[in-house]
Amino acid sequence: MRCPVSLKIVVAVKYVPDATGDRHFSEDLTTDRDAVDGLLSELDEYAVEQALRIAEACDDAETTVLTVGPEDARDALRKALSMGADKAVHVEDDALHGTDVMGTSLVLAKAVEHIGYDLVMCGMASTDGTMGVLPALLAERLGVSQMTLLSDVSVADGKVSGRRDGDSADEELEASLPAVVSVTDRSGEARYPSFKGIMAAKKKPVKSVDLSDLGIGEERVGLIGAWTKVEEAAQRAPRTSGTVVKDEGEGSKQLAEFLAGQKFI
């Protein structure tokens, strides 16, 4: 079903540390993002994909990707632009260091209002914090409907509709625009950027804004404004060598005794 009206879609994405890297805390007990490579959160790629599919089904649609983070976070925006998004907005400010999900939802809400929107798309969670609450917080701050954890989503007649998969039953949901939607990793495989898309992304606009542009005081973000903080952290103990059972005729008995001692059986 085509969407015959003009539609402005904003996709909130996050630049996260590579999960395969060796991650650490900094001295202030925030994630040391300089010590590990970063990338566009894999779960956010599904949100970008669904936004692009919705835009392709509309006669007139514009897709903007939005992120909050340091200078390197532009890499996440470039990846989304190479997938097919039209433009990007980067909220960058030194005062944002240490901002928790409450502060991030505030900054994103102000940025979304600054951009203008009909539909906000999010991934189901970030791959570093994995809280999964930001879409709901964002919808609350914007004062619009939310539809979260969708595996299928579409827009028509001024409404967004979708399906939420459950263990025993599926839910069919619908809300009037404007709205905030989050999608799961079951919503459809994200497209791989083509060479043409990568080259085109270099020419697409990336607008930088800071807290003053959004009218947000520094006391509301960062470690000062955080509602949560890490009190203490310790290095994980090195992995010890396992128990070796030599089978000299009673291997099965020793294995059973080991499993029973660990209360596995």
Side-chain angles (χ1 to χ4, degrees):
M1 182 181 297
R2 291 197 62 80
C3 169
V5 298
S6 176
L7 188 67
K8 297 188 70 173
I9 307 173
V10 178
V11 189
V13 301
K14 190 175 184 182
Y15 181 73
V16 298
D18 189 342
T20 63
D22 191 10
R23 293 170 289 178
H24 303 277
F25 282 119
S26 302
E27 291 183 2
D28 60 2
L29 296 180
T30 61
T31 303
D32 186 356
R33 298 182 182 274
D34 294 330
V36 63
D37 292 334
L39 71 169
L40 170 62
S41 177
E42 181 183 356
L43 293 175
D44 288 342
E45 291 187 19
Y46 295 97
V48 175
E49 175 63 30
Q50 293 307 308
L52 295 176
R53 292 187 187 184
I54 291 172
E56 290 165 354
C58 289
D59 293 334
D60 180 18
E62 181 181 69
T63 304
T64 303
V65 284
L66 166 66
T67 197
V68 177
E71 182 180 356
D72 289 345
R74 285 191 171 226
D75 291 345
L77 295 177
R78 290 297 179 192
K79 172 68 178 294
L81 290 173
S82 69
M83 292 172 65
D86 299 308
K87 60 181 183 177
V89 174
H90 181 195
V91 184
E92 181 182 6
D93 198 300
D94 290 341
L96 288 168
H97 173 72
T99 302
D100 65 359
V101 69
M102 299 301 294
T104 300
S105 67
L106 169 65
V107 176
L108 285 174
K110 293 294 185 181
V112 166
E113 291 174 338
H114 179 79
I115 296 167
Y117 72 103
D118 298 300
L119 177 65
V120 181
M121 303 283 294
C122 305
M124 60 189 291
S126 63
T127 54
D128 55 353
T130 64
M131 295 185 69
V133 298
L134 189 139
L137 293 173
L138 182 53
E140 176 67 19
R141 290 192 183 277
L142 292 172
V144 300
S145 300
Q146 58 165 306
M147 289 173 30
T148 57
L149 303 177
L150 301 183
S151 59
D152 181 74
V153 59
S154 61
V155 172
D157 301 323
K159 296 181 179 181
V160 56
S161 57
R163 184 184 74 251
R164 180 187 294 151
D165 298 334
D167 293 334
S168 58
D170 296 340
E171 297 177 273
E172 295 291 339
L173 306 174
E174 183 179 86
S176 297
L177 297 175
V180 175
V181 166
S182 72
V183 297
T184 71
D185 53 359
R186 295 183 178 182
S187 58
E189 196 67 28
R191 67 193 66 186
Y192 191 81
S194 64
F195 178 76
K196 181 179 179 180
I198 294 172
M199 298 304 295
K202 296 180 179 181
K203 298 180 181 180
K204 293 179 179 179
V206 179
K207 181 181 179 181
S208 292
V209 298
D210 58 22
L211 293 178
S212 63
D213 294 320
L214 301 178
I216 300 174
E218 294 184 1
E219 73 281 355
R220 303 184 70 183
V221 297
L223 291 172
I224 297 176
W227 291 36
T228 59
K229 65 178 180 179
V230 178
E231 294 282 359
E232 184 179 356
Q235 188 73 23
R236 181 175 59 186
R239 180 176 295 180
T240 59
S241 59
T243 301
V244 177
V245 176
K246 294 183 178 180
D247 188 3
E248 296 178 349
E250 294 186 351
S252 59
K253 180 180 178 181
Q254 294 180 54
L255 179 59
E257 290 176 348
F258 173 81
L259 293 175
Q262 299 297 318
K263 296 183 179 180
F264 292 136
I265 58 175

